[in-house]
Amino acid sequence: MNTGTEHEKSASPEQGSPSSTNRWPAHRILYACSLALAVCAIALLTLAARGPSTQAGQPGMPGMDHGAMHMSGTAPSGMPAMPGMPGMSGTPGMSPGDGLATERDGYRLDSAATSLPAGQAVTYPFTVTGPDGRPVTDFADVQTKRLHFYAIRSDLTGYQHLHPTMAPDGTWTADLAALEPGDWRLYASFTPNTGPHKGREFVLSRTVTVPGQATAVPLPAATDSTTVDGYTVAVRGELTAGTPAPLTVTISKDGQPVTDLQPYLDSYAHLSIFHEGDQALAHLHPVTPVNADHGGPTLTLYALLGEPGNWRAYLQFQTAGQLHTAALTLHVT
């Protein structure tokens, strides 16, 4: 703006007057304001095009870097409505999605397997192809892993959270524990480290059938606490569809608060939530900072779930080298 200031001084017939040298004409003030607004708009559009920020290999903000929130056609899924809020990641239009799509923005989850045998451990081979149609082989580390893999049956039972291995040609192999007969959805969460969407998280899924007599398990009623391996897990929070809200998780054992939670994949807990009916996936992490093996008893997470109804939640946490998985049903109004 120095050029404009000098121009005004030279054009003024009263250079010696303080009032004249310190005053800009109204049209110049309007021009400067318009220019500043244009610069801000360009900066915001640039950030939106880049997608969620990446820090230490983890896209987005701590606590929600895996989150895939189902917004059902109104706004982009994820947590974009509240950028900058602790534990909420995502930029409008750049969220990982609800996990129900096989392909998104040129990235596709491919597998020749459409059925898997029941009652035995089994491997599931798959690839992630990019916009160029070739298998992706360069992935960013997110929560210490290049890819997170989830499995859930249509009645929201049988939850598995795995970390497959990848061959040099881009073929992944997920080692699944024995599956019960029924329809299963298998999810892959990943972040390309190269290509047109470098640093952006994707969650894609495919379905498989496990032959045999399938017996659906009714979804347990919504509750705010459950027990696993002698630990009591209590969850507090009012969840309303489309509204960001905190969830507070408190872990105790034998009536005493637990304070020896260990980091598991760079966090004190992992919460996977599946929507009853369509199996939309949200994966959350606490915003609670990690301080060696001294986590607990209270952890805070943030959630934005776009659909009302029941969601089956699986909370994973670790103590003394043992991983625990607590399951409970949460209701969203």
Side-chain angles (χ1 to χ4, degrees):
M1 301 302 297
N2 290 337
T3 302
T5 302
E6 291 300 318
H7 175 77
E8 292 302 327
K9 287 183 179 179
S10 62
S12 171
E14 300 177 0
Q15 289 190 15
S17 168
S19 61
S20 63
T21 57
N22 294 329
R23 185 189 310 127
W24 277 19
H27 73 280
R28 290 290 181 183
I29 295 175
L30 290 174
Y31 172 78
C33 292
S34 299
L35 181 60
L37 289 173
V39 171
C40 290
I42 292 172
L44 289 173
L45 289 173
T46 301
L47 289 174
R50 288 178 181 175
S53 61
T54 302
Q55 296 181 0
Q58 299 178 23
M61 297 292 291
M64 290 303 297
D65 32 31
H66 274 261
M69 302 304 151
H70 189 39
M71 295 304 293
S72 195
T74 54
S77 57
M79 303 297 285
M82 299 292 291
M85 187 172 185
M88 295 184 176
S89 71
T91 302
M94 301 297 288
S95 62
D98 54 24
L100 298 178
T102 298
E103 182 175 1
R104 187 172 186 184
D105 294 337
Y107 287 88
R108 180 178 176 84
L109 178 62
D110 279 322
S111 178
T114 58
S115 65
L116 296 173
Q120 64 185 56
V122 64
T123 59
Y124 178 76
F126 65 94
T127 58
V128 175
T129 56
D132 60 0
R134 295 182 296 181
V136 178
T137 58
D138 191 4
F139 296 84
D141 285 345
V142 177
Q143 297 289 312
T144 75
K145 301 296 181 181
R146 290 185 296 172
L147 188 142
H148 294 257
F149 189 88
Y150 309 94
I152 198 79
R153 203 169 73 150
S154 59
D155 59 0
L156 306 187
T157 63
Y159 170 73
Q160 296 186 42
H161 175 188
L162 310 173
H163 305 107
T165 56
M166 186 188 73
D169 66 354
T171 300
W172 291 88
T173 301
D175 295 322
L176 290 159
L179 303 175
E180 294 292 328
D183 295 323
W184 288 75
R185 184 173 290 274
L186 308 177
Y187 310 75
S189 173
F190 60 90
T191 299
N193 203 35
T194 56
H197 296 294
K198 174 183 177 180
R200 175 181 171 185
E201 183 182 9
F202 289 82
V203 182
L204 304 176
S205 70
R206 298 186 69 89
T207 57
V208 296
T209 299
V210 178
Q213 182 64 42
T215 302
V217 177
L219 193 70
T223 183
D224 58 7
S225 66
T226 189
T227 59
V228 59
D229 302 331
Y231 292 87
T232 298
V233 176
V235 179
R236 300 288 185 271
E238 296 296 328
L239 295 176
T240 301
T243 301
L247 285 177
T248 300
V249 175
T250 304
I251 301 175
S252 60
K253 187 174 185 180
D254 299 326
Q256 300 299 314
V258 171
T259 58
D260 62 346
L261 296 180
Q262 297 175 323
Y264 170 60
L265 304 177
D266 275 354
S267 183
Y268 281 134
H270 294 258
L271 182 63
S272 302
I273 314 180
F274 300 88
H275 186 236
E276 183 181 24
D278 60 10
Q279 298 171 282
L281 167 65
H283 191 75
L284 320 180
H285 305 99
V287 297
T288 310
V290 173
N291 177 25
D293 296 350
H294 307 296
T298 301
L299 307 171
T300 300
L301 308 92
Y302 285 86
L304 174 58
L305 304 177
E307 293 291 336
N310 290 324
W311 293 71
R312 190 62 172 167
Y314 291 89
L315 181 79
Q316 294 184 290
F317 61 96
Q318 181 171 290
T319 59
Q322 181 182 358
L323 184 64
H324 313 280
T325 302
L328 72 165
T329 301
L330 302 177
H331 185 72
V332 178
T333 58

